[in-house]
């Protein structure tokens, strides 16, 4: 049995009178890829926002590595080892490609202002380590030659890769990908699928995945949770989900 | 107008411009990070002036110590303003923060009025900043040289911090997207505090030098310089540090030179800055070096 990374119990999120997530349970283990799917507005991204501490839940508990993280500040959760990417790419478009990765790599290292300003001693060494780590990650994502470019000058596909490089710079144990293959063509999508599987194998990451591309989800995920209007409607391995009547109804509507 | 007169006026204009620039950098940095016009920033000029004044007069500190003390205390008050007034409403609509900023400004001015009184106090300018050098027909005040040198050094320090250090990188990232910065494990409030502290230190240096140029310390002394520095920040392109310094210089030069060319207009001195502001907003709202920042 693999080590448990994330445990969500009875999560409820409300926006005004709307219940965006209703009693969601979810567990992600190390080296496991869990898909979170459902029609638009089902509450998938909201669930990610709660895990990362951006949205506070109305009730329910979240544990990461057996420690309670419910309601903890976002930076604290990030430093524990949860990184994410976004549905709509959110890079620091004015920073260079390598700087984007370095911003995230910083948090792996203790950080005090006098040290950050006076650039010597331990700080100088850390700085070189951060830079070389950022370079390695760009290499891994095939962006090494673009390090000095401004992030907003990259083509769309490379921006997606840069977002993942930035997330990996946090040295996460759990990686949350929000629609990572949106806008990719079938070749890019299948390449990306292989990449995610390799990532899981090499770094034994736990991965949570929101995606609408069903063949991608079915190919990559170990288990899939389907939610609709904030409520779980199915849970199982890909071929179970594919043939689940409730899921088909939720996606296609009732005939 | 002969050459030496013109040079003389340019030196005065540059001196004034540097002081506006020092204040404008603080405005522009806070705006860059929080999209907030910190109207209390001008009052930090007054805070640092009083701290230096009391340091020298009441505690008989040697002036370098009093000036450093002014910088440190002003930085702490800058952080306190953010933590006390702006942080609690960080997620509120921007107009709330703007109104709060005006409130903080009135609060500081009137607090000084209540605690210290409204009578202007004469600032004890240390000997070494007095006097002037004579070069032919040109008289260069020693203070002007100090102002130019200190401003240049501080500008280089700030630009280096923003572009070469970690905290600077975090500041630049923060100015694009606060939420993702916190997702990178960086405590955004520490970076924001640092931004306020840095801006406040510049305001403190500006304040002390302002007092040596116009040696009257009073609770409302920061209002007009603050507003003009805001104009300078807009003129240079708000959010851009170098732009703020350039905006300050242009403003200082414009003010001094227009009055030098047409002495009858000296009563309109303060109007010049605001006329420039109107023209800039009509013709190039992003300012000289500005770009469209994301909301």
């Amino acid at each position: 049995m693999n080590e448990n990374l994330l445990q969500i119990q009875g999560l409820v999120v409300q926006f005004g009178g709307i219940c965006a997530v209703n009693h969601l349970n979810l567990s992600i283990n190390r080296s496991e890829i869990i898909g979170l799917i459902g029609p638009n507005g089902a509450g998938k991204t909201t669930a990610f926002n709660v895990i990362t501490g951006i949205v506070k839940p109305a009730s329910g508990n979240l544990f990461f590595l057996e420690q309670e993280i419910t309601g903890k500040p976002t930076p604290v959760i990030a430093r524990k080892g949860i990184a994410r990417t976004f549905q709509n790419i959110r890079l620091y478009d004015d920073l260079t490609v390598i700087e984007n990765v370095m911003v995230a790599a910083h948090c792996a290292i203790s950080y005090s202002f006098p040290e950050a300003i006076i650039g010597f001693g331990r700080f100088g060494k850390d700085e070189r380590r951060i830079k070389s780590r950022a370079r390695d990650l760009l290499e891994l994502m095939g962006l090494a030659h673009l390090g000095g470019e401004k992030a907003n000058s990259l083509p769309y596909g490379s921006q997606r890769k840069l977002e993942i490089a930035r997330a990996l710079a946090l040295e996460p144990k759990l990686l949350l990908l929000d629609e990572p293959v949106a806008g990719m063509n079938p070749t890019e999508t299948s390449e990306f699928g292989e990449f995610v599987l390799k990532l899981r194998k090499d770094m034994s990451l736990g991965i949570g995945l929101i995606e609408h591309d069903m063949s991608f989800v079915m190919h990559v995920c170990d288990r899939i949770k389907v939610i609709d209007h904030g409520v779980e409607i199915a849970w199982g391995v890909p071929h179970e989900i594919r043939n689940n009547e409730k899921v088909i109804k939720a996606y296609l509507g009732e005939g | 107008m002969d050459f030496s007169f013109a040079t003389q006026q340019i030196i005065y204009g540059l001196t004034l411009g540097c002081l506006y620039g020092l204040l404008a950098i603080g405005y522009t940095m806070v705006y860059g990070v929080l999209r907030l016009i910190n109207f209390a920033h001008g009052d930090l000029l007054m805070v640092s002036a009083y701290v230096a004044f009391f340091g020298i007069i009441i505690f008989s500190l040697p002036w370098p110590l009093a000036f450093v003390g002014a910088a440190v205390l002003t930085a702490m008050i800058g952080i306190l303003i953010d933590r006390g007034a702006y942080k609690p409403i960080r997620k509120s609509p921007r107009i709330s923060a703007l109104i709060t900023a005006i409130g903080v400004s009135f609060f500081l001015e009137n607090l000084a009025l209540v605690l210290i009184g409204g009578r202007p106090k004469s600032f004890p300018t240390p000997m070494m900043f007095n006097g002037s050098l004579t070069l032919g027909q040109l008289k260069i005040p020693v203070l002007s040289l100090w102002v130019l040198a200190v401003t240049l050094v501080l500008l280089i320090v700030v630009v280096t911090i923003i572009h070469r250090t970690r905290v600077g990188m975090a500041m630049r990232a923060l100015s694009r997207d606060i939420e993702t910065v916190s997702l990178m494990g960086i405590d955004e409030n520490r970076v924001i505090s640092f931004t306020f502290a840095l801006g406040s230190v510049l305001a403190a240096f500006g304040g002390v030098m302002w007092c040596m140029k116009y040696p009257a310390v009073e609770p409302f002394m920061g209002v007009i310089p603050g507003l003009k520095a805001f104009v300078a920040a807009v003129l240079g392109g708000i959010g851009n540090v170098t732009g703020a310094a350039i905006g300050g210089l242009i403003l200082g030069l414009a003010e001094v030179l227009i009055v030098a060319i047409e002495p009858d207009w000296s009563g309109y001195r303060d109007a010049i800055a605001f006329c420039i502001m109107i023209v800039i907003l009509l013709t190039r709202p992003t300012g000289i070096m500005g770009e469209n920042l994301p909301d």
Side-chain angles (χ1 to χ4, degrees), chain A residues 52 54 74-75 78-79 86 90 92-95 99 103-104 106-107 110-111 113 116-117 123 127 166 170, chain B residues 161 163 165-167 169-170 172-173 176-177 179-188 190-191 194 291:
Chain A
T52 50
I54 287 179
T74 303
R79 280 196 293 265
F86 298 89
R90 285 168 72 173
Y92 309 121
D93 50 13
D94 196 39
L95 271 60
E99 280 176 337
V103 168
H106 282 163
C107 92
S110 69
Y111 176 156
F113 285 132
I117 298 161
F123 171 64
E127 200 65 15
R166 184 178 68 176
L170 263 168
Chain B
I161 287 177
H163 288 280
T165 67
R166 268 193 240 195
V167 61
M169 201 190 295
R172 282 182 291 144
R176 295 289 145 170
D177 192 337
E179 199 172 276
T180 56
V181 167
S182 66
L183 283 165
M184 298 306 139
I186 295 169
D187 182 348
E188 74 270 24
R190 287 180 68 176
V191 181
F194 178 80
E291 43 181 328

Side-chain angles (χ1 to χ4, degrees), chain B residues 86-131:
Chain B
Y86 302 145
K87 191 176 165 225
I89 52 166
R90 198 90 84 207
K91 299 218 160 73
S92 312
R94 224 177 297 165
I95 191 76
S96 315
L98 194 71
I99 294 166
T100 307
I102 295 171
V104 172
S105 168
F106 287 174
F107 173 75
L108 287 177
E109 288 156 16
N110 290 287
L111 188 70
L113 193 62
V114 169
L115 292 181
I116 305 164
R119 201 164 59 85
K121 296 186 170 20
S122 126
F123 191 81
T125 305
M127 281 304 288
M128 66 176 294
F129 298 104
N130 281 323

